[in-house]
Amino acid sequence: MDNLVQLTDVTKRYDHDGTPALHHVSLAVAPGEALAVMGPSGSGKSTLLNLIAGLDRPTGGEVSVGGDRVDQLSETGLARFRRRRVGMIFQFFNLLDDMTVLDNILLPAQLAGLAAARARTRAGELLEALRIAKHADAYPARLSGGERQRVAIARALVNRPALLLADEPTGALDTATGEEIGELLLDLNHSGQTLIVVTHNPDLAARYARRVIRLVDGQVASDAAVAVRP
């Protein structure tokens, strides 16, 4: 089976003479995998996610997603790639507070040019599946942290991306709510969604991923499978 994500000898420097944020990293992620990325602050976790998402470009090496060389795409190509191939979830939700829950979810579909009727149908399915349908016309500020993260997940999934990237998705949530979001991510992976999660939480990584890599000083220090829970 071809890999969905392939990083080959990737280095990223932000300062020409500084220590690289990532240093000769090679990594492959198969379709349907759930991968957790761990490591201390400054180890390169978010840089790795940004390179895969096409939010940043490597200084050296190759980044491919779904057969596309992300590092070689034009700015227009990168925007199209992010809209259609990748969904992103952030620690602090990144919702637009002056738009309703439904409009937040619909926004990526509108930007991707999805027909309005199809987008609304898809958004409705996600609202129901994530148990936030009753909040469709509410504004994010009126929701709990867990509810806002569910909205963010729905927004990330509305275009049916091949790859879902999550950067500390439970970091701003209490323990119980974080468990709920972790279970939700696990359910998504069980349904076939490829998932890469950056987390500082070893319990989340062990319970809701199938493989954990650990970055130290911009390099892969370990890469190990996690036993599947019964």
Side-chain angles (χ1 to χ4, degrees), residues 10-95:
V10 168
T11 293
K12 176 61 182 179
R13 294 180 183 273
Y14 292 102
D15 298 315
H16 178 70
D17 296 323
T19 301
L22 289 178
H23 190 55
H24 297 299
V25 169
S26 294
L27 175 69
V29 181
E33 267 201 276
L35 172 70
V37 182
M38 300 194 68
S41 178
S43 60
K45 303 186 300 297
S46 292
T47 297
L48 177 67
L49 225 57
N50 288 340
L51 292 173
I52 294 170
L55 293 170
D56 211 344
R57 295 182 186 271
T59 307
E62 300 179 3
V63 179
S64 297
V65 177
D68 289 334
R69 278 286 302 276
V70 178
D71 57 291
Q72 292 184 338
L73 292 175
S74 66
E75 291 303 319
T76 300
L78 282 171
R80 186 182 303 113
F81 164 78
R82 287 192 292 267
R83 288 195 297 263
R84 298 179 179 177
R85 307 295 294 276
V86 175
M88 294 197 71
I89 307 166
F90 303 92
Q91 178 175 353
F92 296 107
F93 323 124
N94 287 21
L95 300 173

Side-chain angles (χ1 to χ4, degrees), residues 13-218:
R13 294 180 183 273
Y14 292 102
D15 298 315
H16 178 70
D17 296 323
T19 301
L22 289 178
H23 190 55
H24 297 299
V25 169
S26 294
L27 175 69
V29 181
E33 267 201 276
L35 172 70
V37 182
M38 300 194 68
S41 178
S43 60
K45 303 186 300 297
S46 292
T47 297
L48 177 67
L49 225 57
N50 288 340
L51 292 173
I52 294 170
L55 293 170
D56 211 344
R57 295 182 186 271
T59 307
E62 300 179 3
V63 179
S64 297
V65 177
D68 289 334
R69 278 286 302 276
V70 178
D71 57 291
Q72 292 184 338
L73 292 175
S74 66
E75 291 303 319
T76 300
L78 282 171
R80 186 182 303 113
F81 164 78
R82 287 192 292 267
R83 288 195 297 263
R84 298 179 179 177
R85 307 295 294 276
V86 175
M88 294 197 71
I89 307 166
F90 303 92
Q91 178 175 353
F92 296 107
F93 323 124
N94 287 21
L95 300 173
L96 298 174
D97 287 336
D98 60 345
M99 298 177 67
T100 66
V101 163
L102 177 59
D103 286 339
N104 266 280
I105 295 169
L106 286 172
L107 184 59
Q110 293 167 344
L111 292 173
L114 189 66
R118 287 182 58 197
R120 283 188 168 272
T121 298
R122 173 64 172 162
E125 293 169 352
L126 290 166
L127 284 164
E128 291 290 344
L130 297 173
R131 304 193 301 277
I132 48 175
K134 65 182 180 181
H135 300 303
D137 296 323
Y139 289 88
R142 292 184 172 272
L143 305 183
S144 69
E147 289 165 344
R148 279 181 280 173
Q149 194 60 292
R150 287 173 184 270
V151 175
I153 292 171
R155 179 186 59 188
L157 293 174
V158 71
N159 287 340
R160 303 182 188 275
L163 177 63
L164 185 60
L165 304 174
D167 195 353
E168 299 283 6
T170 65
L173 305 175
D174 61 68
T175 301
T177 306
E179 289 278 334
E180 291 180 5
I181 296 301
E183 288 284 357
L184 178 56
L185 294 175
L186 183 63
D187 289 343
L188 288 170
N189 178 246
H190 282 166
S191 71
Q193 180 69 58
T194 308
L195 178 65
I196 300 178
V197 182
V198 164
T199 181
H200 69 282
N201 186 334
D203 184 59
L204 181 77
R207 295 179 65 187
Y208 303 124
R210 294 291 168 257
R211 178 178 160 210
V212 177
I213 68 168
R214 184 171 178 81
L215 294 177
V216 176
D217 296 331

